Amino acid sequence: MSMLLVAVLTAGSCLATDHILGYVASNEIVISSVFNLIAAFAFITVWKKVALSSEKNLPILFLSASGIRIVVAAMTVLVYFFVMRSDTQSIKIFAVVFMAFYLMMLVFDTWFFIKTEKTKQIK
C-alpha cells in the first residue's frame, strides 16, 4: 500500500509542478520518490521480521524507524542543498516536494500503525 502511495504522489507531483510551474520538476520528484520507496521497503522488511519474532517490540520499531527516517531525510535534503546551492528555484521546489512526500508517508505509516495496534487489541 505504501508503494502505491509513493506512485500516486509521484504522478500527482508531476502533474502539479507541470501545471503550476510550467515544467516537470523531474530531479526533485525522482529523488523524493526514490527516498520514500527505499524507506518504505526497509520499513516493510523490518516490520515483517519484528512482527513475526516479537510483536511487543512493534511500538519501539515504529519510534526508532521514524527517528532514523527523519535523520536520513535531513541528510538527503542537506546534500541536495549543497549540490544545488547555485539554483535557488530548484532548492525551493525540492524542499516543497520532499516535504510533501515525507509528510504523506509519515501520515500513512502512523495510520497503518494505529490500525494494526487496534486490530491487535480487538483480538
Side-chain angles (χ1 to χ4, degrees):
M1 185 72 169
S2 60
M3 303 298 180
L4 178 63
L5 180 61
V6 172
V8 169
L9 283 170
T10 302
S13 297
C14 288
L15 292 173
T17 56
D18 185 35
H19 181 69
I20 294 169
L21 302 172
Y23 72 97
V24 176
S26 58
N27 288 340
E28 296 84 352
I29 294 169
V30 168
I31 293 169
S32 299
S33 297
V34 169
F35 172 82
N36 281 292
L37 283 173
I38 291 171
F41 183 73
F43 189 67
I44 290 166
T45 304
V46 174
W47 183 278
K48 286 180 183 177
K49 289 180 181 179
V50 171
L52 291 174
S53 64
S54 176
E55 279 190 33
K56 65 182 178 181
N57 290 329
L58 286 177
I60 295 168
L61 169 68
F62 180 74
L63 182 62
S64 60
S66 296
I68 291 169
R69 181 183 297 165
I70 198 167
V71 169
V72 175
M75 290 175 15
T76 303
V77 169
L78 285 174
V79 167
Y80 187 86
F81 286 2
F82 285 123
V83 170
M84 300 298 288
R85 65 179 162 249
S86 61
D87 188 3
T88 57
Q89 180 69 14
S90 178
I91 290 172
K92 290 176 186 176
I93 294 168
F94 177 73
V96 170
V97 170
F98 193 85
M99 189 178 357
F101 272 78
Y102 183 84
L103 290 175
M104 288 302 295
M105 291 304 294
L106 189 63
V107 167
F108 174 78
D109 287 345
T110 304
W111 170 78
F112 175 78
F113 180 73
I114 290 170
K115 182 180 166 189
T116 303
E117 286 299 308
K118 281 185 179 179
T119 305
K120 189 171 72 172
Q121 288 177 359
I122 290 171
K123 291 179 183 181

